[in-house]
Amino acid sequence: MNDQTHDRATFTAMTEGTQADWQAISSHFIPFAAKGGRRVLDHLKLLDGDYGGFPVDRLQHSLQTATRAHRDGRPDDYVVMALIHDIGDTLGAYNHPDIGAAIIRPFVSEEIHWITAQHGIFQGYYFFHHLGMDRDLRETFRGHPHFEACAEFCEKYDQAAFDPAYESAPLDFFEPMVMKLFERPRQSLYSRTAEAA
């Protein structure tokens, strides 16, 4: 990316911005945004070797979750969600589902976004009681249109993906799916904001 001075905006505050400034910024943003899939794949690699006490490291858990979903015939956007659902583990120990959900939101359906955002509480059904917590916290969402879809994701793919003997597909198998999904958003933050107004 060429970052020479003449390719950059000249303002010191946005109130001073001109059309030429914003054209310069857009000329950088568009190719940068198009490489979002590559940055997602690179960040997933940070999970390699991070066990956190689990039987497999976080990357293997992610690959195993995605592989199980793929082998079950799920569509590519679902498989990518399964791959990146825990991508926030290294950044947000207390709210990792929010991070994955924020990353994937512009590119997927409301259902897939909701599964990503809520999977932490739904996954808790399988272990919260061992930590003195209420395993049924997910019941606060009972009746939500995506409740069963999230419960199914956790049961079939997420909670089952800690098997050291399972033969997962490698990360490069998923690369074309990731690159395609993150190529172009279904809608942007700005269109969602306008709709909500």
Side-chain angles (χ1 to χ4, degrees):
M1 183 182 298
N2 185 353
D3 211 18
Q4 294 177 3
T5 305
H6 66 275
D7 290 334
R8 292 184 288 175
T10 59
F11 60 74
T12 57
M14 284 187 173
T15 55
E16 302 166 1
T18 66
Q19 184 172 0
D21 287 329
W22 288 101
Q23 286 175 339
I25 291 167
S26 293
S27 74
H28 289 264
F29 173 79
I30 292 168
F32 178 79
K35 295 177 184 170
R38 172 60 46 212
R39 290 188 297 278
V40 165
L41 290 164
D42 289 344
H43 193 85
L44 280 167
K45 293 174 186 174
L46 297 177
L47 304 178
D48 190 17
D50 181 0
Y51 285 83
F54 289 96
V56 298
D57 69 35
R58 296 182 197 281
L59 177 59
Q60 289 306 311
H61 168 68
S62 299
L63 293 171
Q64 194 174 139
T65 305
T67 302
R68 289 176 182 277
H70 176 71
R71 290 178 182 162
D72 204 25
R74 296 293 181 162
D76 287 357
D77 56 352
Y78 190 102
V79 173
V80 172
M81 176 272 293
L83 180 68
I84 74 161
H85 73 287
D86 282 346
I87 197 169
D89 275 346
T90 58
L91 294 172
Y94 294 100
N95 68 330
H96 80 272
D98 297 331
I99 295 168
I103 292 169
I104 206 168
R105 182 176 183 184
F107 305 95
V108 296
S109 67
E110 174 56 31
E111 178 178 284
I112 291 178
H113 171 257
W114 200 87
I115 291 169
T116 314
Q118 304 306 331
H119 81 271
I121 279 187
F122 279 68
Q123 188 81 326
Y125 177 78
Y126 299 98
F127 71 91
F128 280 174
H129 54 296
H130 294 303
L131 300 174
M133 299 167 62
D134 181 5
R135 71 183 302 189
D136 291 318
L137 281 178
R138 69 183 188 173
E139 290 302 316
T140 60
F141 295 107
R142 178 70 68 181
H144 189 281
H146 307 313
F147 181 97
E148 295 301 333
C150 192
E152 180 183 49
F153 168 73
C154 288
E155 179 185 359
K156 292 180 78 172
Y157 311 121
D158 197 2
Q159 69 84 26
F162 296 95
D163 182 355
Y166 187 83
E167 292 189 22
S168 298
L171 186 58
D172 62 4
F173 173 83
F174 300 103
E175 181 174 339
M177 295 180 216
V178 172
M179 296 303 289
K180 183 177 179 185
L181 183 71
F182 286 97
E183 216 170 60
R184 181 168 305 208
R186 293 164 58 111
Q187 63 175 344
S188 72
L189 164 69
Y190 309 109
S191 62
R192 288 197 311 270
T193 302
E195 288 170 7

